[in-house]
Amino acid sequence: MPTKRIAQIVHLKPSAVKAYKECHANVWPEVLQQIEECNIKDYSIFFDNDKTLFATFKYVGEDFEADMLRMKANPKVREWWGLTDGMQESLTPGAVGSAEGPSWWKVLDEVFYKE
């Protein structure tokens, strides 16, 4: 199964920059474990020091949709998303949160890749 590379963006509320960086310096172990169990590798989040968060990761599993449903079903992950979603502003029309509706983070199209 080929690796699927995914990139996403969301805006960070200016009032939440410090808190967002602090909570990501100490991500809950249950969240990290679920990320691993859902076949996500090389996960990074970058901040442009203005308002945009840019995330990138590799999906190495066989059923992305099923793994994302497993991620959403984890109560600790949903709690984490409740915390972090409140610090962000989605760019996806109709998004209401990470746990429901359209993707909270806007997925980007890959236009170039060189290994």
Side-chain angles (χ1 to χ4, degrees):
M1 183 108 221
T3 299
K4 180 176 183 173
R5 291 180 312 279
I6 297 171
Q8 306 168 307
I9 59 172
V10 74
H11 283 167
L12 185 60
K13 294 177 181 176
S15 61
V17 172
K18 182 179 177 187
Y20 192 84
K21 288 182 178 183
E22 286 174 358
C23 74
H24 281 82
N26 299 290
V27 177
W28 302 343
E30 300 91 345
V31 172
L32 295 173
Q33 181 66 34
Q34 190 66 60
I35 289 170
E36 185 174 330
E37 289 175 5
C38 288
N39 299 299
I40 293 173
K41 306 290 182 201
D42 296 328
Y43 189 6
S44 296
I45 300 174
F46 299 89
F47 180 52
D48 73 351
N49 293 313
D50 180 25
K51 63 181 178 180
T52 303
L53 292 169
F54 170 77
T56 182
F57 61 89
K58 294 177 183 175
Y59 177 72
V60 297
E62 296 180 9
D63 190 339
F64 183 74
E65 288 75 23
D67 279 333
M68 295 307 98
L69 287 173
R70 285 191 316 128
M71 179 87 69
K72 283 183 180 184
N74 183 315
K76 269 313 232 197
V77 170
R78 293 173 70 90
E79 184 181 349
W80 176 263
W81 287 343
L83 170 71
T84 59
D85 284 0
M87 299 179 195
Q88 303 164 348
E89 296 171 342
S90 179
L91 301 171
T92 305
V96 294
S98 293
E100 57 186 87
S103 178
W104 183 252
W105 284 65
K106 182 179 179 183
V107 177
L108 304 178
D109 292 329
E110 184 176 76
V111 296
F112 177 78
Y113 175 72
K114 169 70 174 109
E115 188 171 293

